[in-house]
Amino acid sequence: EVQLVESGGGLVQPGRSLKLSCVASGFTFSNYGMNWIRQAPGKGLEWVAYISSGSSYIYYAETVKGRFTISRDNAKNTLYLQMTSLRSEDTALYYCARLDGYGFAYWGQGTLVTVSS
Amino acid sequence: DVVMTQTPVSLSVSLGGQVSISCRSSQSLVHNNGNTYLSWYLQKPGQSPQLLIYKVSNRFSGISDRFSGSGSGTDFTLKISRVEPDDLGVYYCGQGTQYPPTFGSGTKLEIK
C-alpha cells in the first residue's frame, strides 16, 4: 500500500524558516517524481514544487521561488521542503503527492504550517 | 499559467440522481505528445484529495464506473451518476499539460 506521511509543520513567525518532510513507503520511491501541494484554510489547491526521481529536474511556483527548496533522499525514501522567509500567505496544509502518468495519484494526509506572530 | 475555471461553485443533488461539473481551461490542454493531462479529484470532508479521473476520461484504480469524464481541448466535464452519500465533498479539476500544474477552484457537492 502506498503511504506518504508528512511532518514538520507548526506555528512559525513571519520571516523564519521551517523544514517539512514526507516519508514514502509501499512503492519504489526513487522511481517517481514528487511534489508539494498546499491548501490554505478553506481554499483550493496550489501546486508548490516538483522534483524528478533523480533530482535532475526541479520546478517551483512563482509564489515560492527563491524562498523554498525541494529536495529528496532516495536512500531514506524521504522528500523535503525547506521553507525560508515565511509569510502569512504561506499558511496552509502542505501535502506531498506522487506524480504518475495519471496525475497526482497519491497524497499524504498533510502537515499544517501556520505563519503568525 | 493555465487558468482552470470550474462551474458551478456548488450544487445539491438527491441520492440516486446525476450531476455534471464543468471545467474550462484558458489554453488547450493537448500536450505535444498528443495526450491531454486533465484530471479530476475529490476531496471528502477532512480528507486529502483523491484522484478519480486522469487523462480526461480514464478512471483511476478502484474508482466506480458511476464517475465518468469527457471533453477535449479546453472544455471538460465530470459526470456522477446514481449519486451516493459518500460522493459528497469538493471536486477539483487539474491540468498537468503545462507547468505549473494548476487546479480549478472547486465544486462543492451536497446531498439533498
Side-chain angles (χ1 to χ4, degrees), chain A residues 4-9 18-24 27 29 32-37 47-53 55 57-60 64 67-84 94-98 111 113:
Chain A
L4 299 169
V5 180
E6 302 94 335
S7 62
L18 203 61
K19 187 173 186 176
L20 308 182
S21 300
C22 170
V23 177
F27 66 101
F29 181 69
Y32 292 89
M34 297 294 296
N35 299 261
W36 288 99
I37 297 169
W47 172 82
V48 173
Y50 163 82
I51 185 168
S52 62
S53 57
S55 304
Y57 300 96
I58 290 176
Y59 304 108
Y60 297 99
V64 307
R67 300 187 300 122
F68 290 11
T69 302
I70 189 172
S71 63
R72 63 191 296 161
D73 185 336
N74 286 343
K76 295 182 177 180
N77 289 344
T78 304
L79 175 72
Y80 302 101
L81 186 67
Q82 176 70 54
M83 305 184 293
T84 64
Y94 284 73
Y95 296 103
C96 67
R98 190 181 98 177
T111 186
V113 173

Side-chain angles (χ1 to χ4, degrees), chain B residues 5-80:
Chain B
T5 303
Q6 271 183 252
T7 55
V9 172
S10 64
L11 70 165
S12 183
V13 62
S14 299
L15 294 177
Q18 177 175 297
V19 296
S20 292
I21 299 171
S22 174
C23 177
R24 182 166 293 178
S25 59
S26 60
Q27 303 172 36
S28 172
L29 297 186
V30 180
H31 194 275
N32 289 340
N33 64 14
N35 290 313
T36 300
Y37 295 100
L38 185 283
S39 302
W40 290 95
Y41 302 86
L42 165 60
Q43 187 171 32
K44 298 179 182 179
Q47 295 187 20
S48 307
Q50 62 179 105
L51 178 64
L52 300 174
I53 302 286
Y54 65 94
K55 287 195 281 187
V56 181
S57 59
N58 298 277
R59 279 185 297 276
F60 189 56
S61 175
I63 299 304
S64 168
D65 61 4
R66 298 184 299 102
F67 294 89
S68 63
S70 63
S72 63
T74 61
D75 287 298
F76 305 93
T77 301
L78 175 70
K79 289 185 180 177
I80 312 167

